[in-house]
Amino acid sequence: MRALLPAFGQSVSQLSTQVQAKPANSSRQFAAHFVDIAKEAGLTEPVIYGEADHKDYILETVGCGCAFFDYDNDGWMDIFVLNGSRLRGVPEGTTNRLYRNNRDGTFTDVTEKAGLHASGWASAVCVGDYNNDGFEDLFCTFYGQNKLYRNNRDGTFTDVTKEAGLWNEHPRWGAGCTFVDYNRDGFLDLFVSNYVQFDFEHVPKPGANVNCTWWPARPGARRKFSLQEQRRRHLHRRQPTGGNRSDKGKLWHDCGRCRFQ
């Protein structure tokens, strides 16, 4: 006798279900293609992450993300692009950037006006209305200190990391992040993953540790290795960098008062 499932439930496949044959491939041509129009759209500022011609530490190799979101609720997607740095210092003009959609295929850099100027080793960004005011807010992870930006509903943002309870007493390497209402209470919670415990004061210098060998790709460099050498190098790349251990992520609960714990 079969149990009846609720109307809103997902049906369960029975053991008697027959395997369906794979349909024939479509003969229709897929004509879609992409064209780089960044210059025409006004998206010309570079993303900096370490030196352009070499990398000495893993921090310089991971890069950063971006987000498409409608920050001013005008119905048009805007763009928020993260940025990095260099070991010798932050290059002049380097910052995360907010580009407002001009509704004509172009964008305008409104970073300074929006209060989102920030430099450092940014990693990832997620978008969500954590305070339920109808405007999307931003959370960014960094190597160092993550940041929560509250949308002020007037085209500007305010860094509310400390007052929201998200300040780290010790620098960490934030990686992926996402807003999610895990307990379905109507308030967005926040999950933040961390990468590794990395510290310049303790990490070995490049090439000083046999378990931490990094062969950065250099422009124009072409080297051929035997299969045995390729395997050896692959295994070395998989070793924890400089003895640093992986770091644990955190789930932050939104208390409903614009604070997380």
Side-chain angles (χ1 to χ4, degrees):
M1 183 176 179
R2 295 180 180 177
L4 296 177
L5 295 173
F8 56 83
Q10 181 177 357
S11 61
V12 179
S13 175
Q14 302 298 316
L15 295 177
S16 59
T17 301
Q18 298 296 319
V19 177
Q20 299 296 315
K22 181 179 179 181
N25 292 330
S26 173
S27 59
R28 298 175 60 184
Q29 296 295 321
F30 185 70
H33 65 282
F34 293 88
V35 177
D36 185 352
I37 58 170
K39 184 177 180 180
E40 293 83 350
L43 304 173
T44 57
E45 294 296 333
V47 173
I48 305 296
Y49 230 89
E51 299 295 337
D53 59 349
H54 70 278
K55 312 289 182 183
D56 291 328
Y57 294 96
I58 191 173
L59 178 62
E60 303 173 87
T61 69
V62 293
C64 50
C66 65
F68 283 81
F69 77 119
D70 184 9
Y71 83 97
D72 52 0
N73 281 0
D74 67 350
W76 295 75
M77 282 290 181
D78 311 293
I79 306 176
F80 184 62
V81 182
L82 297 178
N83 220 318
S85 185
R86 289 188 173 135
L87 298 181
R88 52 189 170 89
V90 180
E92 184 178 355
T94 301
T95 176
N96 300 333
R97 295 187 183 277
L98 176 63
Y99 294 96
R100 186 189 66 221
N101 194 322
N102 297 326
R103 312 181 192 184
D104 60 1
T106 67
F107 293 81
T108 297
D109 186 341
V110 294
T111 308
E112 300 294 338
K113 180 180 179 180
L116 289 173
H117 183 103
S119 58
W121 299 93
S123 296
V125 56
C126 60
V127 177
D129 181 14
Y130 83 95
N131 56 355
N132 288 350
D133 66 351
F135 284 76
E136 303 280 18
D137 310 295
L138 292 171
F139 181 79
C140 307
T141 60
F142 285 79
Y143 167 69
Q145 178 60 56
N146 301 331
K147 295 180 183 293
L148 174 65
Y149 292 103
R150 184 190 64 219
N151 192 324
N152 297 323
R153 300 182 292 178
D154 59 0
T156 68
F157 291 79
T158 298
D159 184 345
V160 294
T161 310
K162 284 187 176 181
E163 61 187 77
L166 295 172
W167 186 264
N168 291 324
E169 294 300 327
H170 304 286
R172 302 182 74 173
W173 191 341
C177 55
T178 184
F179 284 104
V180 56
D181 183 6
Y182 81 96
N183 56 354
R184 298 191 177 186
D185 65 351
F187 293 93
L188 286 180
D189 310 296
L190 178 64
F191 178 75
V192 183
S193 62
N194 293 296
Y195 191 24
V196 296
Q197 298 174 10
F198 181 87
D199 186 348
F200 280 111
E201 294 183 2
H202 300 96
V203 68
K205 298 299 181 184
N209 189 331
V210 67
N211 291 322
C212 177
T213 309
W214 164 246
W215 293 271
R218 298 176 183 273
R222 288 182 174 272
R223 299 181 65 184
K224 294 183 178 180
F225 302 101
S226 65
L227 180 59
Q228 182 179 4
E229 179 68 4
Q230 291 179 37
R231 287 174 177 170
R232 185 181 72 83
R233 289 171 177 264
H234 175 67
L235 289 175
H236 278 191
R237 287 194 183 99
R238 294 178 62 187
Q239 296 297 324
T241 57
N244 292 292
R245 299 187 302 272
S246 59
D247 202 356
K248 296 180 180 179
K250 278 191 174 184
L251 176 62
W252 297 89
H253 169 63
D254 189 334
C255 304
R257 301 184 299 275
C258 296
R259 283 189 60 83
F260 294 83
Q261 65 178 17

